[in-house]
Each structure stands twice: as structure tokens, then as C-alpha cells.
Amino acid sequence: MSGPSLETASALASRYEAVVIGAGPAGLTAAARLAEGGASTLLLDENPAPGGQIYRSIEAAGAGDLRRLGPDYAHGRAVAERFRASGAAYAPRATVWDVGPATGPVAGGAADRASTSNRLVSLTLGGAGRAIEAGHVILATGAIERPMPFPGWTLPGVMTAGAAQIALKTAGLVPTGRVIVAGCGPLLYLLTSQLLDAGAEIAAVLDTTPRGNWLRAAPHAPGFLASAYMGKGLKLLRTVRTRTRVIGGVTALATEGTGALRAVRYGTGSGKGALEADLLLVHQGVVPNANFSNAIGCAHHFDEAQRAFVPDLDDWFASSLDGVSIPGDGGGIAGAAAAEVSGEIAALGALRRLGRLGEAPAMEAALPLRRRWKSLQRGRAFLDRLYAPSPAFLAPPDDDTIVCRCEEVRAGAVREAIGLGVAGPNQLKTFLRCGMGPCQGRFCAGTVTEMIAAGRGESPAAVGTYRLRAPVKPVRLSELASFPETPEAVLAVTGSHSTDRIEPLSTGDMQ
Amino acid sequence: MFRRLREAAPALRFRFDGEPLTGVPGDTIAAALLASGRLALRKSVVGGEPRAPYCMMGVCFECLVEVDGVANRQACLTPLTDGMEVRSQSGARTIRPAAGQEP
Ligand code: FES
């Protein structure tokens, strides 16, 4: 069994053979496999309990919760149990903000492998900062919802569908009043049916799936028909359609209300409408949460089908940086079942690299997993094309739409800068402060890239995305004050040697 | 706004801008506030517009609040504990670095 959760930075060892970041299906499985393989392993996660977003609160879920959220959610129990039984150390509520190359002699015991290069993982835990050595790092940072900008998306009463699902899973919160769900993608219908089952009143689903997507997806239908998604997906669509009103072909959205949502206006090819609403839940798919891999220097490429930047990975899910692997949705969206399999493959690759597993046994163990991973990809190509977001919600046409929620930069200002010939996302950031707030561009990077691409008639791949730097999460000076290498770390983060101030700093302001 | 699927005793007491509210063990601050009908937790930095939790998973930073005197805590990641003093934040002063720190 894993011991009690580690709650303070001083409770951590100075070195682990493997450090895993993120406790979703990929991270939990990778950590379990590494510990089972004999490697000293630490799992760091931002949340108070294992599960990530998909298996949120899985250990605390009662029979009713498991029934309501379905067997795919309930499977998370087994994933968490395997991790708990593996002997890996576990530090919840830890914020990791950098993974850099380690310098100097490696502290540690007999488990050291001289042949492996080491990484330095910087984090805060229990209010104190710490840097620990890792022989190998597994980044399992998962997915985030793709931003869906439209006029008034910052109004209280507008949330992501994922946020409503988290509130349901963690606190059993069910929306009351008139709820409208808008956007596209499988999660939209899954959430709608979960909320209906929980007794919510869904006034309408505004489906923004572009009509032409069906044609583009059709050539990939055979793969989809043979996949596990098919039966589940059709059943969901049917359930939702019989229980609420679905308005398809929605091409424009806007909110009304001062201080709080009052109504949602929408447009379709054939007209306009407005619906009174207390809560609007939006969603247009998920993208890899690549801020971390971007900030530490992993190479990325633009994936046309997923319409997002994804890290370059080899067939062990190892990134371009030696000693850093990225399984799960953080390495490319493939879903929870595939994340579990890729976590296992990444762990095998790490054990092999750490000298814990020979080449032949690693290959042999990976073979059936690779086959399973491939079979889980079946149907993806169809879904990616069917649920490709509409251009109007990737590069918002209305100048008044906020692009950067943190710094309140609007589409009009972004378009003006593009018209003036801004060199790319990084220069735009300097000009407009777009992406410089505390979220570090997580909610505007995609939109900015799409807007520049649309403005210039180039591909997003050619435009690129923000270049990020550690720390990837805001760090407080008081947390750094407890750091062993205080002067350098403080200088690196704040540009000043002083450690006596305790004002929190938002990292975005320092880039 | 939101109701609870299950009524869970025992309640945790906390205050939001001085007003006494309750939550249940396992709640984050953001969940307890949503369950209490409090949506807007802060005013935006530039325009002073009200903002509410948006992602509930630590990504958007719309849920920044002051907790027991410490500013800029993410309400959606911070577990609620009994007796917490939570305050809404407004605008630039609390979120920007102190004067002279801007590079
Ligand atoms: S609601 Fe998005 S970070 Fe808390």
C-alpha cells in the first residue's frame, strides 16, 4: 500500500528515480507501473485526491454516484486502487512549476543509475518550495477544454460544461433554473444526459457542429462504426434528443445581462433566436494541456485533425527532451482508456531507460499494449472531423468579443495588430498584454493563433503559438523563501534578489 | 443557481465578504460558494467587470479570492475548512506586482 499522503515539502525525498506529474488515468497508471517495476516513484498532483478530471472524486464516490456517472467513470476505481497498492509515494495539492536539467552531484542511494541523466522538479507543497531530483519525469497533465469565445462569454452564469461536470462529481451540485448547453463534441451530450439524470432542467442544447462536418467525417466512418464509441454515442444522442430540445446548426452565440446571465441569443443559417437562461454551459472539445511541455522546451507540432499543438513523441511516449515522457491526453487527445494504456507504455519506456527493465522484456510487455492503444484510436479520425469546431468559434468575428479573459483584450484589438503586421503570437503578447495574465495564455493561445492564421491566410502550424517560460504557475515569494537555492531561484522568478516581500506575483506579469 | 444532490451533514462554517455561509466536507471554496448561490467572486483587472468560476479545474484563474488574508488563491482548488475568511478581490491592485517590480 502507498503510505499516507505527503503534505509538506520537507516530507519529500531529495531524489526519486521517477517523478510523475498529474493523477489522472495516465499518471496513476504510469506511477503504479513504475513502482511495480521497482523504481522509487513520486506522484505529484494539484488536486486533493487521485482521479484527474475524468475520475474526479472517484475514491469518495458512493453507489449512487457510480450509477449516475456510469461504468466508464466507475472504472476509475480500479485505476486508483492499483496506484494505491503500488507503493508509489503520493503528494496531492502540490503545484509543480518547472522541470529543468539537474546540475551538480546527484544526491541519493543505491538506486541511482549513473547512466541516466537527471531532471530537477521545482514545486510548492504545503506552502513551501522545494526542488527534487528525478531520474525520469512523466508529464501527465491531461487536457483542457478548448476556449470558445463569443460576445459575453465572461459574464457570470457562463461556465464550461466540464466545470459543471466537476461540480457534479465533487460536490454533487446540480444546476437549478433554466440551463442551456451550447457547443459541440461528445462531452456536450454526455454532460447533458448526466445533468438530466441528476434532475436538472435543460431548456435547450444549441449545437454548433458545422453542417459540412458530416461530409468531411464520412470517409472515416468505417473506423468509427467498428469502434466502441459508436454504440455509446448514438445512445447518448437519442437520449438527449428525446428529453430536451436540440437546436442544430448554430453559427453565432451571445449573452445578455448585466452582472449576471439573463438570456442567450443565437443565430443559425436560417434565423435568430433568444432564450431566457440562468446558466449557460459551453464546450467545443478538449485540447492537450501543453503549457508545461511548452515551457520546459519540448518540441511540438500542429496536429491538423485535433486542431491543436501537440508534443512530438516517440513510440514510448518520450518527448524530445531526454528523460521526459508525456502519456495521456497531454500528448494528444485520445481519451481516458487510451491514456491508461499510454501511461503504462511510458512507464515501461522509463523503466527501460532507468535500467530497471531490459530491452527485450520491455518490448515484449509493450507489444500487446501498443495493439490495444491502436485499437482505441479507431473512430478518433471520424470524431475529430465530425466535431471540428466552427471557424466562427475559433477566430471570433465580432470585434467586441474578449479574447484574453485575464487582461481583457478584445478581438478588435487583436485584428488591428494583425493588420499592422504583428510578427506572431509572441509579439502580439508584448503589444497587447494578451496572454500575460495569471492563466498564462491557456485560454487565449489557441484563439490568437487561429486569428493570426485566418488574418494572413496561413496555417496555424506556420503561425506557431506563445513561447512560454517557467514558472508555469504563479509562485509566491514566501514559498520561494524556503527554497534551498534561494538567491538564484528568487532572481529567476522575480528579477530581484530580495526575499522579504510577500506580495504574490503573477508570473504572466514577469514575462 | 445550484442545489445539492445529497444533503451532507456536518456543515463547515465560513464567511464570504463577512457574510456567514456553510459548506460540507469535501467542498472546494468555489463549490461551497456556488452551492450558496454566490457566482461572482471577483472584479476583472482592467474593466472591473464581475467574474465567476469558469473552468473549476485550476486553469482559468477566474476564481481568485483572498483566503484568511492571503490573496490570489484559486477557490476551485482550495479545500474549504471550518472558519475560513474568504473575501472577493477587485481589480488591479491586488493582482499586479508591487510598484517597481514590473520589468
Ligand atoms: S475556476 Fe478556473 S481556475 Fe478556478
Side-chain angles (χ1 to χ4, degrees):
Chain A
M1 285 296 287
S2 74
S5 299
L6 304 170
E7 278 162 13
T8 58
S10 58
L12 303 174
S14 58
R15 181 178 192 272
Y16 294 85
E17 286 176 86
V19 171
V20 180
I21 300 164
L28 287 172
T29 307
R33 185 67 187 84
L34 282 157
E36 289 159 9
S40 63
T41 303
L42 169 68
L43 175 65
L44 296 163
D45 187 48
E46 194 166 46
N47 292 293
Q53 307 309 333
I54 189 91
Y55 302 140
R56 272 259 180 175
S57 299
I58 188 69
E59 291 180 329
D65 299 310
L66 295 180
R67 208 176 327 108
R68 196 169 33 251
L69 294 166
D72 286 349
Y73 175 72
H75 171 71
R77 262 293 160 80
V79 179
E81 275 164 11
R82 177 181 175 194
F83 165 71
R84 291 286 191 184
S86 72
Y90 173 48
R93 302 205 58 211
T95 301
V96 182
W97 41 270
D98 193 16
V99 172
T103 49
V106 171
D112 283 343
R113 297 281 190 278
S115 62
T116 61
S117 80
N118 287 272
R119 297 261 148 207
L120 196 64
V121 179
S122 305
L123 62 118
T124 56
L125 179 61
R130 179 92 193 262
I132 52 172
E133 301 246 10
H136 196 100
V137 172
I138 307 260
L139 269 187
T141 50
I144 59 173
E145 289 180 275
R146 185 195 299 278
M148 188 172 175
F150 53 83
W153 68 308
T154 53
L155 195 62
V158 185
M159 285 179 120
T160 70
Q165 199 183 37
I166 289 167
L168 178 66
K169 285 176 186 168
T170 57
L173 295 187
V174 183
T176 54
R178 288 152 305 188
V179 183
I180 295 185
V181 181
C184 65
L187 178 63
L188 198 75
Y189 283 87
L190 176 63
L191 176 85
T192 305
S193 106
Q194 286 172 344
L195 290 180
L196 285 166
D197 285 345
E201 181 207 323
I202 310 280
V205 175
L206 301 175
D207 194 318
T208 62
T209 310
R211 301 230 190 251
N213 281 10
W214 285 98
L215 279 177
R216 282 185 280 275
H220 302 276
F224 177 70
L225 295 175
S227 77
Y229 301 115
M230 173 74 174
K232 284 185 206 166
L234 284 182
K235 198 165 146 236
L236 266 181
L237 281 178
R238 241 194 338 260
T239 318
V240 169
R241 280 180 189 282
T242 54
R243 294 172 66 186
T244 184
R245 181 174 166 209
V246 176
I247 299 170
V250 171
T251 52
L253 283 171
T255 64
E256 269 175 28
T258 13
L261 180 69
R262 213 186 57 238
V264 177
R265 281 184 283 123
Y266 65 93
T268 64
S270 53
K272 288 179 178 169
L275 296 163
E276 290 191 0
D278 300 298
L279 190 67
L280 171 62
L281 303 175
V282 295
H283 175 83
Q284 58 172 350
V286 294
V287 293
N289 184 5
N291 270 40
F292 214 122
S293 49
N294 178 333
I296 68 172
C298 299
H300 290 70
H301 64 275
F302 189 78
D303 184 310
E304 288 289 344
Q306 300 193 1
R307 205 130 191 129
F309 285 92
V310 300
D312 297 356
L313 300 175
D314 71 9
D315 54 7
W316 297 98
F317 296 90
S319 76
S320 65
L321 278 188
D322 186 34
V324 177
S325 310
I326 313 179
D329 278 353
I333 303 302
E340 199 181 321
V341 178
S342 64
E344 184 115 22
I345 298 173
L348 290 170
L351 288 167
R352 162 177 160 272
R353 189 176 156 275
L354 290 163
R356 286 274 180 190
L357 197 61
E359 181 71 23
M363 292 297 280
E364 198 185 325
L367 197 65
L369 294 166
R370 293 207 166 106
R371 242 181 255 131
R372 172 145 170 74
W373 192 82
K374 231 175 139 190
S375 83
L376 287 167
Q377 295 300 301
R378 231 183 273 147
R380 268 288 141 194
F382 179 82
L383 287 177
D384 284 343
R385 280 161 188 83
L386 179 60
Y387 292 120
S390 147
F393 295 109
L394 288 174
D398 187 309
D399 279 349
D400 207 35
T401 305
I402 284 182
V403 170
C404 166
R405 297 176 65 105
C406 298
E407 297 289 331
E408 292 160 83
V409 181
R410 292 175 196 269
V414 172
R415 242 185 305 270
E416 197 184 347
I418 297 168
L420 292 171
V422 71
N426 293 303
Q427 198 185 33
L428 189 101
K429 189 161 147 181
T430 323
F431 284 177
L432 298 177
R433 297 190 61 82
C434 194
M436 286 182 110
C439 97
Q440 294 198 300
R442 285 171 175 87
F443 270 89
C444 66
T447 312
V448 161
T449 296
E450 293 284 355
M451 286 185 75
I452 298 178
R456 289 190 189 152
E458 280 177 0
S459 79
V463 171
T465 185
Y466 295 144
R467 189 185 54 247
L468 301 175
R469 265 179 262 154
V472 293
K473 281 260 175 169
V475 185
R476 289 182 164 72
L477 286 189
S478 59
E479 293 166 341
L480 285 179
S482 54
F483 224 74
E485 300 90 341
T486 302
E488 293 89 341
V490 171
L491 181 64
V493 175
T494 67
S496 142
H497 277 290
S498 171
T499 59
D500 55 11
R501 278 186 302 262
I502 53 159
E503 295 92 332
L505 291 170
S506 114
T507 51
D509 281 306
M510 280 159 308
Q511 289 180 347
Chain B
M1 211 66 48
F2 285 92
R3 66 179 170 84
R4 287 190 194 272
L5 209 49
R6 41 180 184 265
E7 270 326 310
L12 301 173
R13 288 155 304 138
F14 72 106
R15 301 207 303 176
F16 181 61
D17 286 341
E19 194 186 342
L21 299 171
T22 58
V24 303
D27 276 356
T28 58
I29 295 174
L33 285 167
L34 290 181
S36 311
R38 302 297 184 285
L39 220 56
L41 306 189
R42 70 178 189 103
K43 291 244 161 56
S44 68
V45 177
V46 180
E49 302 284 341
R51 292 286 176 86
Y54 186 69
C55 73
M56 293 293 276
M57 57 177 280
V59 179
C60 72
F61 290 76
E62 291 287 14
C63 64
L64 295 180
V65 288
E66 184 189 302
V67 181
D68 294 333
V70 183
N72 296 332
R73 303 254 83 149
Q74 283 171 283
C76 71
L77 292 180
T78 312
L80 183 74
T81 55
D82 198 47
M84 258 181 179
E85 275 296 339
V86 183
R87 305 199 77 81
S88 59
Q89 296 191 173
S90 77
R93 251 156 300 131
T94 52
I95 196 170
R96 290 278 168 73
Q101 289 187 3
E102 198 98 44

